Amino acid sequence: MRRVAVVGAGMTLFRHRMLETGKEMAFEASRMALDQAGLDIKDVDSVVLGSAPDAFDGVHMKGEYLLDGAGGTRKPYTRVFVGGGTGVFVPIAAWWQVASGVADIVLVVGEEKMSPLLPHPQYAFWSIFDPILERPLGVTLLWIFSLEMRRYMHVYNVSEEDIALVAVKNKRNALDHPAAQLAANITVDDVLKSEPICWPVKRLDVSPTSDGAAAVVLASEDVARRITDDPVWITGVGWNVDSTYWTNRDLCYPEYLEKAANMAYRMAHISDPKKEIDFAEVYDPFDYKELHHMEGLQLARRGEAPKLTREGVTQRDGDLPINPSGGLLGVGNPIAAAGMMKIAEVFWQLRGEAGKRQVKKPVRRGLAQAWGDLMQVGTVVIMER
Amino acid sequence: MSLPDGLRNTSQAKNWVDSLPLSYKYSAGVSGQRFAEGLKQGKILGSKCSKCGETFLPPSLYCPNCFVYSSEYVEIPPYGEIYSFAEADGKAIALIRFQGVTGGLIHVVKRPSAGKLKIGLRVSAVFRPAEQRKGDLTDIEFFEIRPHT
């Protein structure tokens, strides 16, 4: 297997509605990533695009629709899709190509344009429910998250206040992100008093729906050493998927994520992730999910993530900064682009290019993670200087 | 070989009809908005690549070949040529290409009162009166065959 480096990253603003079409956003993020890498489209051997359900953009076969914006015309081009986990799965699919020697330079693009769908992007999820067992109940996705959040609170005796601290932290971190959609200085009380959507899930526990794109460029070691003094290496990748039946999963502990993480840790020769991972961008479409995912990643013991959060360990100046970017709660959640934003953030943090978002302690190794499909896929990428 | 019951009794399959009532509000896009504004002013706008100089219609924010931003929007004279066409139900749709331009427009062509539509015929855009234009493709009512010049 060949070593694989990240050599450039780019992203658009994340906003509720962008004038740019999906193609235009894909182009802008890709152009920025190529510019940072000092490369042109003719240098790119292959393109991998990630985007979530076609129903958002409202253009069926979105991968094909986005082709020229992602620079894929007349190149080997693939769209990959594992729902919300897509953003961190796209670089994995691109990594295969470079690690195997199929390609030397791969452009990796995540795009989502959720705003077209009326009455609300959320309604795209109507169609994911089982027509026999679930649709007759008239539930939305939020009901599922409510089941998970309540179970998590129950098992570990976690308070709403502890969970709200995640939203407070991430939205504040996002104040330093130039692309952020929902950066804010809010209090725990603001979260608790926000409109209940499906208790215990309240408005400010939830990330927004967004339009946006993000891209990175992967290169083989030879190419990376030639074009940059500062490559960031992908040293571990992992993915895993659990049963699609809600009824057959542990709603309190994401076992599939533990398996995905262990796959990546083995590859990266990590035996004690809590000590060996310097910071992480974990998937936080809901505040409780950051806690959930920290535990699945074994960055905290089971039930310990709320305590670490309360003690400030996960702040940017803490011992284990989590979501220094501001995460999905603060920067926004254009699904596949949101996961790619996390990949870009780990890259920028490791290169010391995160500006006001730069975590305080020196960092050598970071992790990005996403979650999705039918709430049961885990995707993990580990990157190192 | 015996088939499972389910395969033998397909006429018994229970089914029901469901619908997902969704509608969409699409962004025109950066280049799409310029194109739409152009149509409203009775102009066909293309984009020009800042690197290779190629002109694209419909216009694009970027050149799909060089993968760089387009440098400018240029007005394309509304005279083109039928590249191919399809006819059915008393209506004709053609791909119309324009000299020196990559791409083209697919639009309605008004059939000539005498003679037939042919590939290679020269056509020109007929815009609706300014007060009826909405800033979309239908601001061009149709293309018509240009009289021999």
Side-chain angles (χ1 to χ4, degrees), chain B residues 80-148:
Chain B
E81 195 177 295
I82 295 178
Y83 179 80
S84 190
F85 63 96
E87 286 180 292
D89 305 327
K91 188 168 84 173
I93 296 282
L95 167 52
I96 297 144
R97 288 205 159 145
F98 300 80
Q99 202 174 6
V101 173
T102 302
L105 289 178
I106 294 175
H107 218 297
V108 174
V109 185
K110 194 175 176 190
R111 286 137 68 97
S113 46
K116 287 181 162 183
L117 283 180
K118 278 189 302 193
I119 286 176
L121 283 179
R122 291 192 296 163
V123 292
S124 56
V126 176
F127 279 87
R128 290 181 194 278
E131 66 277 8
Q132 288 177 21
R133 291 181 208 144
K134 296 180 294 185
D136 67 35
L137 197 65
T138 63
D139 288 352
I140 298 174
E141 197 172 353
F142 50 78
F143 280 76
E144 64 179 2
I145 312 297
R146 295 175 69 194
H148 291 288

Side-chain angles (χ1 to χ4, degrees), chain A residues 326-371:
Chain A
L328 278 51
L329 287 162
V331 186
N333 189 7
I335 303 178
M340 282 291 293
M341 177 276 284
K342 290 183 174 295
I343 296 286
E345 181 72 11
V346 173
F347 172 72
W348 287 323
Q349 288 281 351
L350 289 172
R351 298 237 296 197
E353 294 173 347
K356 280 158 64 185
R357 303 190 308 284
Q358 191 67 43
V359 302
K360 203 166 173 190
K361 67 176 194 177
V363 286
R364 196 182 74 78
R365 186 190 273 139
L367 177 151
Q369 173 254 331
W371 161 77

Side-chain angles (χ1 to χ4, degrees), chain A residues 90-347:
Chain A
V90 222
I92 295 177
W95 176 90
W96 295 335
Q97 299 189 9
V98 180
S100 66
V102 166
D104 282 330
I105 299 176
V106 182
L107 175 62
V108 191
V109 189
E111 180 274 355
E112 216 71 61
K113 192 166 175 77
M114 301 174 76
S115 63
L117 181 55
L118 304 176
H120 187 275
Q122 172 65 27
Y123 290 96
F125 294 114
W126 275 344
S127 58
I128 71 169
F129 288 105
D130 186 292
I132 302 165
L133 294 172
E134 290 160 353
R135 268 192 233 176
L137 299 174
V139 296
T140 69
L141 214 54
L142 271 312
W143 292 69
I144 303 298
F145 301 129
S146 171
L147 292 177
E148 250 193 16
M149 181 167 166
R150 191 186 291 253
R151 182 74 197 162
Y152 182 71
M153 290 168 70
H154 170 80
V155 172
Y156 299 123
N157 195 24
V158 177
S159 68
E160 282 180 88
E161 284 84 351
D162 279 348
I163 290 175
L165 281 171
V166 174
V168 172
K169 166 178 72 74
N170 292 3
K171 286 177 189 292
R172 192 170 55 226
N173 281 352
L175 288 167
D176 296 325
H177 201 305
Q181 179 180 349
L182 275 191
N185 245 323
I186 57 165
T187 63
V188 166
D189 212 39
D190 291 332
V191 181
L192 298 188
K193 287 186 175 147
S194 63
E195 173 200 356
I197 301 175
C198 182
W199 203 91
V201 178
K202 300 165 292 299
R203 176 69 60 196
L204 290 175
D205 291 312
V206 187
S207 60
T209 58
S210 318
D211 291 356
V216 297
V217 181
L218 302 193
S220 63
E221 184 164 12
D222 286 357
V223 173
R225 298 240 184 252
R226 197 166 69 233
I227 64 173
T228 176
D229 295 329
D230 210 2
V232 166
W233 305 100
I234 293 181
T235 55
V237 299
W239 64 100
N240 197 283
V241 65
D242 201 346
S243 164
T244 54
Y245 296 103
W246 318 104
T247 48
N248 299 22
R249 291 206 299 271
D250 182 347
L251 293 183
C252 188
Y253 183 72
E255 200 185 337
Y256 50 91
L257 177 56
E258 180 188 297
K259 289 181 184 300
N262 286 348
M263 178 176 168
Y265 292 148
R266 263 195 311 278
M267 195 182 297
H269 308 292
I270 290 171
S271 54
D272 185 354
K274 205 177 161 184
K275 286 209 179 75
E276 295 176 68
I277 298 290
D278 296 326
F279 71 102
E281 282 285 325
V282 311
Y283 211 60
D284 61 324
F286 296 82
D287 43 13
Y288 80 93
K289 289 307 292 187
E290 175 171 312
L291 306 170
H292 220 209
H293 290 148
M294 281 172 65
E295 293 170 15
L297 289 164
Q298 302 143 77
L299 298 175
R301 288 192 304 276
R302 295 188 191 199
E304 189 196 27
K307 178 169 165 281
L308 298 183
T309 305
R310 206 164 48 234
E311 291 170 351
V313 173
T314 60
Q315 297 282 353
R316 245 186 229 146
D317 59 358
D319 286 343
L320 181 59
I322 302 289
N323 290 328
S325 66
L328 278 51
L329 287 162
V331 186
N333 189 7
I335 303 178
M340 282 291 293
M341 177 276 284
K342 290 183 174 295
I343 296 286
E345 181 72 11
V346 173
F347 172 72

Side-chain angles (χ1 to χ4, degrees), chain A residues 17-19 21 23-24 27-28 30-31 40-41 55-58 68-69 71 74 113 116-118 123 126-127 131-132 135, chain B residues 16 18-33 51 60-70 73:
Chain A
R17 186 187 305 283
M18 297 274 277
L19 165 62
T21 61
K23 293 184 201 209
E24 289 175 339
F27 167 75
E28 291 184 336
S30 301
R31 188 64 257 171
D40 225 328
I41 197 67
F56 290 131
D57 292 53
D68 63 345
R74 290 183 287 276
K113 192 166 175 77
L117 181 55
L118 304 176
Y123 290 96
W126 275 344
S127 58
I132 302 165
R135 268 192 233 176
Chain B
W16 63 92
D18 197 358
S19 71
L20 302 168
L22 306 174
S23 52
Y24 287 88
K25 183 171 166 181
Y26 297 100
S27 298
V30 176
S31 59
Q33 190 135 325
K51 200 166 170 183
S60 171
L61 178 68
Y62 50 88
C63 171
N65 300 325
C66 305
F67 212 59
V68 295
Y69 283 90
S70 301
Y73 293 89

